[in-house]
Amino acid sequence: MSSALFESHFSAVPEAVAIGHGRANLIGEHTDYNEGLVMPVLLRHHTVVALSPRQDNMICGISDRFDALDRLVDSPCDGSWLDFVTGALTMARLNGFAVGHDGKCGINIAVSSQVPAGAGLSSSAAFEIALLRAIGALTPARFDKLSPADLARMGQQIEHDFVGTACGIMDQMVAAVAPVGQAMLFDVRSMNTRCIPLFPGYDFLIIHSGADRKLSEGAYNERLAQCQKAASEMGVASLRDADLISCDRLADPLLKKRARHVISENIRVQKAAIALEAGKADEFGQLMDECHTSLDADFDVSSPILNDLVANLKSAGAIGARLTGAGFGGCVVALCAREQGDHILETFRSPNPNAWLVDRIEGL
């Protein structure tokens, strides 16, 4: 845990400790930055941040995953994990819960995480929300006036301005708002959320393919630009306002594919929410299958490894399966009846030797 890591490294007890959970997206992929609908669920795995203020303007950090690093509070970003810390300190200063009287006080910080990095499970958002909560715990009278949506927006701004990924707000919102054990239907445009209990007697298996991916290498931002261009050519503010008839009129076949995925995915999320509330696991599984096909064929973010894993999970008895997260590697999510879960987990490993179970999320 971060408290023990902090005490070992700094020979002191931290003044604040906070956590942020990773997430798996059950359905609604690449819709959040198009003002659409998503349905994520929290993992049990989380990131823990322990910290204390310093008397100078140094950030001194230790992590169980990365190197120990030190730098000045106002140092430029350099691509290291301390960029997240600099971003969180800046957000705290801009939003009234800064560390120190001038907002430029340094901190000692220790970070430990169970959330796999590069897996499409929001390790970055978990870190951002844990950071903001830990800093806020130093000034609770000011921090507690902020809403979870405020916290999510700050996490997103850290990602945009200090890390370099033009992400949507889904990951930060679910980390800031959702309870463990329920799916969160999130309308990104309105910022409205509704939490829905999971299927009783069914489990969602989160399985790492064994292939990592990295968003900041350009593919994610490329998809964002393509979606914006498609919306512009259809004369709408975002693809949330587009329909499949207008999509079919696009002259550019690549933009048509990108738009078709986003438009149809929003429809699938709406149907999935109805299926979840009605207890119709088979319908939900079919929508997951359709989502994966669309991500592979229209959004081009799957891979042979992910496709093989999804197919093998289906052959082993999963009701539905698809890649989760941005794609390009990482994880898949599979829905199964609870009594079939152990058999599926035993069966999929032989044809997918590098894959491993990350989490098993149980309905009540």
Side-chain angles (χ1 to χ4, degrees):
M1 294 293 291
S2 283
S3 294
L5 182 62
F6 187 99
E7 292 178 30
S8 173
H9 189 74
F10 296 108
S11 300
V13 176
E15 293 189 23
V17 179
I19 69 170
H21 286 265
R23 68 97 186 98
N25 197 20
L26 301 182
I27 196 163
E29 218 65 79
H30 291 278
T31 51
D32 62 331
Y33 55 83
N34 289 291
E35 299 186 345
L37 304 172
V38 295
M39 190 186 291
V41 64
L42 288 183
L43 303 178
R44 292 174 293 177
H45 301 310
H46 55 268
T47 295
V48 184
V49 170
L51 56 79
S52 291
R54 292 174 59 90
Q55 298 303 310
D56 57 20
N57 62 346
M58 289 294 297
I59 301 172
C60 298
I62 180 71
S63 165
D64 66 353
R65 184 169 288 173
F66 304 108
D67 294 334
L69 294 172
D70 300 339
R71 77 184 190 198
L72 294 170
V73 168
D74 55 1
S75 294
C77 293
D78 59 7
S80 74
W81 66 273
L82 289 189
D83 291 347
F84 288 89
V85 183
T86 297
L89 290 171
T90 302
M91 291 300 103
R93 185 174 69 252
L94 294 175
N95 289 276
F97 60 103
V99 178
H101 69 279
D102 62 355
K104 294 187 178 181
C105 177
I107 59 170
N108 291 330
I109 179 169
V111 183
S112 61
S113 184
Q114 306 165 335
V115 186
L121 299 176
S122 293
S123 58
S124 294
F127 185 23
E128 291 152 9
I129 298 304
L131 271 169
L132 292 166
R133 284 172 171 164
I135 295 168
L138 298 174
T139 56
R142 287 175 283 173
F143 181 75
D144 290 348
K145 295 178 182 178
L146 300 170
S147 70
D150 293 330
L151 195 63
R153 290 188 185 97
M154 283 183 259
Q156 183 191 36
Q157 194 167 350
I158 293 170
E159 197 88 36
H160 286 188
D161 297 346
F162 297 87
V163 181
T165 301
C167 66
I169 200 171
M170 172 185 68
D171 296 348
Q172 292 81 8
M173 193 69 175
V174 66
V177 173
V180 174
Q182 297 188 36
M184 185 185 82
L185 177 62
F186 177 34
D187 184 327
V188 176
R189 170 171 284 175
S190 69
M191 295 292 284
N192 290 332
T193 63
R194 180 158 53 93
C195 293
I196 307 173
L198 301 176
F199 295 112
Y202 292 84
D203 296 344
F204 287 98
L205 308 177
I206 314 302
I207 298 171
H208 197 298
S209 65
D212 289 341
R213 62 100 184 96
K214 183 172 174 58
L215 290 185
S216 294
E217 290 177 351
Y220 182 102
N221 292 337
E222 179 184 59
R223 297 303 187 283
L224 171 60
Q226 291 165 344
C227 289
Q228 291 173 335
K229 186 175 181 182
S232 176
E233 293 194 6
M234 283 189 281
V236 294
S238 80
L239 290 179
R240 173 67 181 270
D241 300 311
D243 56 39
L244 290 172
I245 295 175
S246 299
C247 175
D248 286 340
R249 299 193 186 108
L250 285 169
D252 186 326
L254 181 62
L255 296 183
K256 183 183 295 187
K257 287 173 48 175
R258 302 296 190 253
R260 183 167 58 218
H261 165 72
V262 174
I263 296 166
S264 63
E265 186 74 343
N266 280 321
I267 295 170
R268 283 188 287 271
V269 176
Q270 292 175 311
K271 291 181 177 179
I274 294 170
L276 184 56
E277 291 181 313
K280 297 180 178 180
D282 288 344
E283 291 185 15
F284 197 102
Q286 178 61 39
L287 291 164
M288 292 174 69
D289 294 342
E290 293 173 6
C291 170
H292 184 79
T293 298
S294 180
L295 287 165
D296 182 30
D298 280 348
F299 224 65
D300 295 312
V301 294
S302 191
S303 69
I305 290 174
L306 289 170
N307 290 342
D308 287 346
L309 180 54
V310 165
N312 290 333
L313 287 165
K314 288 284 294 180
S315 296
I319 298 168
R322 66 174 204 78
L323 72 86
T324 185
F328 317 109
C331 290
V332 305
V333 55
L335 172 62
C336 67
R338 183 159 303 148
E339 62 269 18
Q340 290 293 314
D342 290 342
H343 168 74
I344 292 171
L345 291 174
E346 291 173 2
T347 304
F348 90 90
R349 287 190 172 94
S350 178
N352 304 100
N354 294 321
W356 50 280
L357 178 68
V358 175
D359 205 354
R360 184 170 181 168
I361 303 172
E362 299 181 353
L364 298 178

